[in-house]
């Protein structure tokens, strides 16, 4: 078997999935625009660690556990949906604050690296659909006959992909020009991002048809 083809396929599918806007992209870009490049990058690293955790969990069978125990998957989806609703409503409520870096009274403020990292990590980890996604990729591409080093290489590729993509987003959206544009249209950017996060949260909470 051509291991390079397998790993290239994992890379390609994961990149295409990351490009699609979701809570991870929203939280990294909004943090980078509204705070600092450092805050955006640290948030991006939190997201990347979350992707590494979910993909590792999928590799070692958590997706099978979720399939067997629907209540566990449902419970994590509910918590994840509530967290995204909380983030969305927080962004909406603070949209009228005019400072680029909000004051201490603003709920959306990221004061420390740990808070930025935690924001990215929790945004990713509260979406259990990620483990289903990775489980599907691995079921299709990583057959049981493959050596363990290939499977670990796939996890490494996902970690590098997630880090590179989200850090690139943070760097781009934290440029002076991006922040100047953001300053002018902050109210609408924050409300759109807040509404999008809230809708993604509702999609997790409401039963799928």
């Amino acid at each position: 078997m051509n291991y390079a083809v397998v790993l290239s396929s994992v890379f390609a599918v994961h990149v295409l999935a990351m490009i699609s806007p979701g809570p991870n992209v929203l939280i990294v870009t909004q943090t980078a625009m509204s705070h600092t490049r450092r805050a955006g990058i640290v948030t991006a690293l939190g997201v990347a660690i979350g992707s590494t955790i979910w993909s590792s969990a999928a590799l070692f069978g958590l997706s099978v556990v979720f399939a067997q125990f629907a209540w566990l998957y449902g419970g994590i989806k509910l918590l994840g949906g509530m967290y995204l609703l909380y983030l969305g409503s927080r962004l909406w409520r603070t949209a009228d604050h005019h400072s680029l870096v909000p004051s201490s009274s603003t709920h959306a403020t990221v004061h420390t690296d740990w808070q930025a990292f935690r924001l990215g990590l929790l945004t990713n980890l509260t979406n259990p659909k990620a483990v289903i996604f990775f489980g599907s990729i691995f079921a299709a591409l990583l057959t049981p006959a493959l050596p363990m080093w290939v499977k670990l290489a796939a996890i490494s590729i996902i970690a590098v992909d997630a880090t590179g993509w989200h850090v690139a987003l943070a760097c781009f959206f934290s440029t002076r020009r991006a922040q100047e544009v953001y300053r002018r249209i902050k109210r609408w950017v924050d409300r759109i991002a807040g509404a999008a996060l809230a809708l993604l949260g509702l999609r997790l909470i409401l039963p799928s048809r």
Side-chain angles (χ1 to χ4, degrees):
M1 180 177 292
N2 191 329
Y3 299 144
V5 171
V6 172
L7 295 176
S8 297
S9 299
V10 171
F11 169 81
V13 172
H14 185 229
V15 167
L16 290 174
M18 286 193 303
I19 291 173
S20 176
N24 296 333
V25 169
L26 285 170
I27 208 65
V28 169
T29 55
Q30 199 280 335
T31 302
M33 287 190 296
S34 63
H35 294 82
T36 62
R37 174 168 296 183
R38 182 186 179 94
I41 290 174
V42 176
T43 302
L45 293 177
V47 168
I49 293 297
S51 294
T52 305
I53 291 172
W54 275 135
S55 56
S56 299
L59 179 63
F60 293 106
L62 186 58
S63 56
V64 176
V65 173
F66 279 165
Q68 293 294 320
F69 300 97
W71 62 268
L72 178 60
Y73 178 67
I76 295 177
K77 278 183 64 178
L78 178 62
L79 291 175
M82 291 172 63
Y83 182 69
L84 291 181
L85 277 173
Y86 162 71
L87 288 181
S89 64
R90 188 175 67 174
L91 271 178
W92 185 280
R93 291 196 310 271
T94 59
D96 290 328
H97 286 263
H98 299 296
S99 173
L100 184 63
V101 180
S103 67
S104 60
S105 63
T106 301
H107 295 293
T109 302
V110 173
H111 294 287
T112 65
D113 287 348
W114 165 243
Q115 287 177 320
F117 179 82
R118 184 180 60 190
L119 179 63
L121 181 64
L122 290 179
T123 299
N124 199 339
L125 290 184
T126 49
N127 183 4
K129 288 186 176 181
V131 78
I132 304 301
F133 167 73
F134 288 122
S136 300
I137 292 178
F138 294 162
L141 299 174
L142 303 182
T143 63
L146 287 173
M148 180 56 69
W149 74 263
V150 175
K151 298 175 181 178
L152 295 178
I155 300 295
S156 300
I157 287 171
I158 287 167
V160 172
D161 283 353
T163 301
W165 170 246
H166 292 100
V167 167
L169 285 176
C171 290
F172 176 78
F173 284 99
S174 63
T175 60
R176 178 174 297 178
R177 182 171 181 81
Q179 291 193 339
E180 287 174 352
V181 172
Y182 171 74
R183 187 182 290 110
R184 292 196 296 269
I185 58 175
K186 176 183 184 298
R187 175 184 298 179
W188 300 110
V189 170
D190 285 4
R191 285 184 174 172
I192 290 170
L197 284 170
L199 287 173
L200 289 167
L202 286 174
R203 286 185 60 186
L204 285 178
I205 292 171
L206 297 177
S208 302
R209 294 184 178 180

